[in-house]
Amino acid sequence: MSVLIVGTTALDSIKTPTAENPRLLGGSASHAAVAASYFSPVKLAGGVGEDFPKKYIELYRRHKIDLEGLQTLPGKTFHWSGQYELNMNNRRTLMTELGVIETFSPTLPKSYQNSQFVLLGNIAPVLQHRVLDQMRHPKFVVADSMDLWLNIALPDLLKLLKRIDCFVLNDSEAHQLTKEDNVFVALEKIHKLGPKYVIIKKGSHGSILSGPKGFFICPAYPLHKVVDPTGAGDSFAGGMVGYLAGARGSIDANIRRAMIYGSVVASFCCEGFGLNRTTKIKRNDIEKRVKELEKFTRF
Amino acid sequence: MSVLIVGTTALDSIKTPTAENPRLLGGSASHAAVAASYFSPVKLAGGVGEDFPKKYIELYRRHKIDLEGLQTLPGKTFHWSGQYELNMNNRRTLMTELGVIETFSPTLPKSYQNSQFVLLGNIAPVLQHRVLDQMRHPKFVVADSMDLWLNIALPDLLKLLKRIDCFVLNDSEAHQLTKEDNVFVALEKIHKLGPKYVIIKKGSHGSILSGPKGFFICPAYPLHKVVDPTGAGDSFAGGMVGYLAGARGSIDANIRRAMIYGSVVASFCCEGFGLNRTTKIKRNDIEKRVKELEKFTRF
């Protein structure tokens, strides 16, 4: 089955102490869509400016991503620029040009409206609502968010949590939302806000699912070098939803394995700038790392 | 088979915003010995002062711990006092009275010298060496340490690493020892210092083993409330070595499961002050949590 992915489609300029990478393809929807494309057909909803490079349209096409819902709007593409410190653990934003994202509103083509699997990638909660308003009967809706929306759009986000099946957030956002240090108490509190499935991401420490079948402690793939973690969380969510859409059987039967696949695609994302590494892998590279994770966790 | 455990035998006074717990039984050897006692007979080597409460000797005896190697020395028992902050994540030392630990030197009774499994719990590396000097042919030697010894006794510790099979340390100590942020690169560097098995502990994020059969990503048991993490690392190491000593088959066949058992005993340790909770469990309570961890990690 296909998966509908909405989020930002952006240009990222990333500086490190040794390299400059201007105007890479970035944004939550780009990372999630490429990740999901290894498992299912993907329909992308987003907005870019007139300056959006053709080579990135071709990149989407190489991943067989349906672009009927990608709007080209008058103005410039959303552009983020950031700098990493020597140890690659801290980054700071140098510049944010919102461009067309400021006025973008997702309008879903008819062919998108029956999608069964939906990933509301990180974008303003009001736009995530607008996507759901246009859907018929989605089977499984996953939403991601970020600290910014917890700060400036909390009421919209809280309403969204009542409309989705699965909420994915990182540990610092879980703390911000619940005021809880303990991850397991935070998971309980987030369930009470709506979602039946809650996943807290902990970066290199993996992630934790709380769902109807209890907890799943999902490992991160061991990486000896992290080149650029930008988009890793989006890749995780995209890989997970893509795997779910491509698998037979119930959500409960598949979601743990789906998280493992998401975790593996996120590991590839971290090994290159932007989408450089994620776009160069084959399904078989993913399967190899999944097998390794099986070995690393069996006891 | 029995396991020999050496380390500190101490009194811990622990303050929190809501409670004072004066002169609890503490020290690396106490926590490790009680943890190991659920799986194997334990021989304890340590030194206490004339003020050491009889009730703690009785506690050791209830766990069938062999005390032939526990010396009572003129002077006071090693006494540590610390205070936890409201969120229980940070603690500061209020007072340290070294007492008899300042002059203690482990002298092993004959009955200890043939032990096959040895845990050199956290104590000065020079004393860990002295224990090894008295052993015949131990099969598997595990050592723990702490930041203090990395700071003031690094040459002794580096020599020790060449004499042991397995080194257990936490992530901040691994960083201090190798100057590496990346856990997997740090593991490689520590192997080069001697030990065939290296385990990096990451608190609530679990632990990672690197050994001849590759990595093992060991989960922490999900806890909704941490009362007092003092001794959790010692409980992990003690539970692990105790399980190994009690199991049939090779180290490689058992060490992953041994870490799971260590992780579970450490989870009980965190649920009470000092040894309050760890001494009140039954083997069956441990088995229940091991089964839960199986469920939480299967995919």
Side-chain angles (χ1 to χ4, degrees):
Chain A
M1 249 180 261
S2 67
V3 49
L4 166 61
I5 293 177
V6 66
T8 57
T9 40
L11 299 173
D12 286 351
S13 294
I14 301 169
K15 276 189 197 180
T16 69
T18 54
E20 276 200 44
N21 298 273
R23 298 170 71 80
L24 296 165
L25 178 57
S28 60
S30 303
H31 281 283
V34 170
S37 74
Y38 287 102
F39 311 103
S40 297
V42 176
K43 297 174 188 302
L44 179 68
V48 295
E50 290 152 328
D51 60 342
F52 193 68
K54 268 195 190 129
K55 63 178 178 183
Y56 294 151
I57 296 289
E58 285 154 20
L59 185 156
Y60 288 142
R61 289 203 201 285
R62 275 200 303 280
H63 285 270
K64 306 206 178 358
I65 294 167
D66 185 339
L67 301 177
E68 202 188 334
L70 182 67
Q71 304 167 40
T72 303
L73 301 161
K76 286 191 164 185
T77 303
F78 175 36
H79 184 193
W80 174 83
S81 156
Q83 180 156 22
Y84 280 88
E85 288 175 16
L86 199 60
N87 70 6
M88 297 299 295
N89 285 333
N90 299 315
R91 75 170 179 205
R92 61 193 182 92
T93 293
L94 297 175
M95 182 268 304
T96 307
E97 288 175 354
L98 288 178
V100 300
I101 214 81
E102 216 163 355
T103 53
F104 164 69
S105 175
T107 308
L108 300 188
K110 267 214 159 158
S111 66
Y112 280 33
Q113 296 173 7
N114 283 314
S115 298
Q116 297 288 289
F117 291 84
V118 182
L119 172 57
L120 305 170
N122 172 31
I123 198 166
V126 63
L127 301 184
Q128 294 175 314
H129 277 289
R130 244 172 252 168
V131 169
L132 285 188
D133 293 342
Q134 298 169 68
M135 300 298 302
R136 296 273 159 72
H137 299 290
K139 183 179 164 185
F140 197 67
V141 179
V142 180
D144 197 351
S145 197
M146 74 181 286
D147 51 354
L148 175 67
W149 310 121
L150 291 169
N151 286 327
I152 69 168
L154 187 58
D156 287 338
L157 181 63
L158 291 175
K159 268 181 232 158
L160 185 78
L161 293 184
K162 303 209 177 295
R163 302 182 71 187
I164 62 170
D165 301 290
C166 176
F167 188 41
V168 178
L169 72 174
N170 70 34
D171 42 5
S172 67
E173 290 156 6
H175 172 75
Q176 191 181 339
L177 181 60
T178 63
K179 314 289 175 248
E180 263 300 331
D181 284 314
N182 184 297
V183 162
F184 300 97
V185 179
L187 284 166
E188 278 177 6
K189 289 194 172 182
I190 299 168
H191 278 306
K192 284 186 185 148
L193 298 173
K196 205 166 147 186
Y197 299 83
V198 182
I199 295 172
I200 294 183
K201 296 172 289 179
K202 308 190 297 171
S204 65
H205 300 303
S207 57
I208 313 249
L209 160 74
S210 171
K213 299 278 177 190
F215 296 128
F216 175 53
I217 302 172
C218 178
Y221 181 83
L223 287 180
H224 283 63
K225 190 168 168 57
V226 171
V227 173
D228 173 18
T230 312
D234 308 308
S235 303
F236 170 78
M240 180 184 82
V241 182
Y243 182 87
L244 281 174
R248 282 182 208 172
S250 69
I251 297 293
D252 282 330
N254 294 320
I255 193 164
R256 291 159 167 248
R257 220 167 165 77
M259 287 173 67
I260 293 285
Y261 277 86
S263 186
V264 163
V265 182
S267 76
F268 286 112
C269 174
C270 291
E271 289 183 312
F273 282 99
L275 278 153
N276 287 353
R277 179 98 169 98
T278 320
T279 49
K280 288 201 184 62
I281 56 172
K282 297 223 150 51
R283 174 71 187 251
N284 197 36
D285 299 315
I286 298 172
E287 297 298 340
K288 266 187 207 162
R289 288 197 174 178
V290 168
K291 282 211 175 69
E292 282 184 275
L293 278 183
E294 277 173 0
K295 237 183 72 190
F296 296 160
T297 54
R298 205 184 298 144
F299 64 89
Chain B
M1 253 181 258
S2 68
V3 49
L4 167 61
I5 292 176
V6 66
T8 57
T9 40
L11 299 173
D12 285 351
S13 294
I14 300 170
K15 276 191 197 179
T16 70
T18 54
E20 277 200 43
N21 298 273
R23 299 169 72 79
L24 296 164
L25 178 58
S28 60
S30 302
H31 280 283
V34 170
S37 74
Y38 287 100
F39 311 101
S40 297
V42 176
K43 297 174 187 303
L44 179 69
V48 296
E50 290 151 327
D51 61 342
F52 193 68
K54 270 196 189 129
K55 63 179 178 182
Y56 294 151
I57 296 289
E58 285 155 20
L59 185 157
Y60 287 142
R61 288 202 201 287
R62 276 200 303 278
H63 285 269
K64 306 208 178 353
I65 294 167
D66 185 339
L67 301 177
E68 202 189 334
L70 181 68
Q71 305 166 39
T72 303
L73 301 160
K76 285 192 163 182
T77 303
F78 175 35
H79 184 193
W80 175 82
S81 155
Q83 180 156 22
Y84 281 88
E85 286 174 18
L86 199 60
N87 70 5
M88 298 298 296
N89 285 334
N90 300 313
R91 75 171 182 206
R92 61 195 180 92
T93 294
L94 297 174
M95 181 269 304
T96 306
E97 288 175 355
L98 289 177
V100 300
I101 214 81
E102 216 162 355
T103 53
F104 165 69
S105 175
T107 308
L108 300 187
K110 270 213 158 158
S111 65
Y112 280 34
Q113 297 172 6
N114 283 315
S115 299
Q116 297 289 290
F117 291 84
V118 182
L119 172 58
L120 305 170
N122 171 31
I123 198 167
V126 62
L127 301 184
Q128 295 174 314
H129 276 289
R130 245 172 249 166
V131 169
L132 285 188
D133 293 342
Q134 298 169 67
M135 300 298 300
R136 297 272 160 73
H137 300 290
K139 181 180 165 185
F140 196 68
V141 178
V142 180
D144 197 352
S145 197
M146 73 182 288
D147 52 354
L148 175 69
W149 311 121
L150 290 168
N151 286 327
I152 69 169
L154 186 59
D156 286 339
L157 181 63
L158 291 175
K159 269 181 232 157
L160 186 79
L161 293 184
K162 302 207 178 298
R163 302 182 71 187
I164 63 172
D165 301 290
C166 176
F167 188 40
V168 179
L169 73 174
N170 68 34
D171 42 5
S172 67
E173 291 155 6
H175 173 74
Q176 191 181 341
L177 181 60
T178 63
K179 313 289 175 250
E180 263 300 333
D181 283 315
N182 184 297
V183 162
F184 300 98
V185 179
L187 284 165
E188 279 177 6
K189 289 194 171 183
I190 300 168
H191 277 306
K192 285 184 184 148
L193 298 173
K196 204 166 148 187
Y197 299 83
V198 182
I199 295 171
I200 294 183
K201 296 174 289 179
K202 309 190 296 170
S204 65
H205 300 303
S207 57
I208 314 249
L209 161 74
S210 172
K213 299 278 176 191
F215 295 128
F216 175 53
I217 302 173
C218 178
Y221 181 83
L223 286 180
H224 283 63
K225 191 170 166 56
V226 171
V227 173
D228 172 18
T230 313
D234 307 308
S235 302
F236 170 78
M240 180 184 80
V241 183
Y243 182 87
L244 282 174
R248 282 181 209 172
S250 69
I251 297 295
D252 282 330
N254 294 320
I255 192 163
R256 291 159 167 247
R257 222 171 162 76
M259 286 173 68
I260 294 285
Y261 277 86
S263 186
V264 164
V265 182
S267 75
F268 286 112
C269 174
C270 291
E271 289 184 311
F273 281 100
L275 279 152
N276 287 352
R277 180 95 169 99
T278 321
T279 50
K280 289 204 181 64
I281 55 174
K282 298 223 150 52
R283 174 70 187 249
N284 197 37
D285 300 315
I286 298 172
E287 298 298 340
K288 265 186 208 162
R289 288 196 174 180
V290 168
K291 283 211 175 70
E292 282 184 276
L293 278 183
E294 276 172 2
K295 238 183 71 190
F296 296 159
T297 54
R298 205 183 298 145
F299 64 88

